[in-house]
Amino acid sequence: MILNVPGSEPSSPATPICSAKACRADAVWVLAWNNPKLHTPERRKTWLACEEHREHLSQFLGVRGFLKDVVRLEEWVSPE
């Protein structure tokens, strides 16, 4: 299960949606990240992205040094 993203709550639609503000498109990508000032190195938080917002969200996380991985939604295996 993907946590901390719109569309992952039990009452949400079965198709996860993009995490970009006001976007309601189906998610295609998982952006795994962590803030090293707050999280242990192995911790991964996730945002979801549609095709249109993948690059923008990746850049946002990347310039901060937070982005760890970008994978297609169907390939994502949540580390536990």
Side-chain angles (χ1 to χ4, degrees):
M1 178 177 215
I2 299 172
L3 303 175
N4 302 321
V5 292
S8 67
E9 297 83 14
S11 62
S12 296
T15 304
I17 60 168
C18 181
S19 298
K21 186 176 182 178
C23 184
R24 306 307 294 167
D26 290 349
V28 179
W29 298 95
V30 175
L31 286 65
W33 63 277
N34 83 6
N35 180 339
K37 292 181 181 180
L38 302 175
H39 307 122
T40 59
E42 65 279 352
R43 172 96 187 263
R44 292 296 180 265
K45 303 211 26 125
T46 55
W47 283 356
L48 299 180
C50 63
E51 287 292 348
E52 180 181 349
H53 292 113
R54 181 185 62 88
E55 186 64 29
H56 171 74
L57 294 173
S58 294
Q59 286 179 356
F60 180 89
L61 293 168
V63 298
R64 289 159 178 80
F66 295 175
L67 187 62
K68 302 300 178 190
D69 203 6
V70 178
V71 297
R72 293 195 64 84
L73 181 61
E74 65 267 11
E75 297 170 7
W76 175 252
V77 178
S78 181
E80 295 180 305

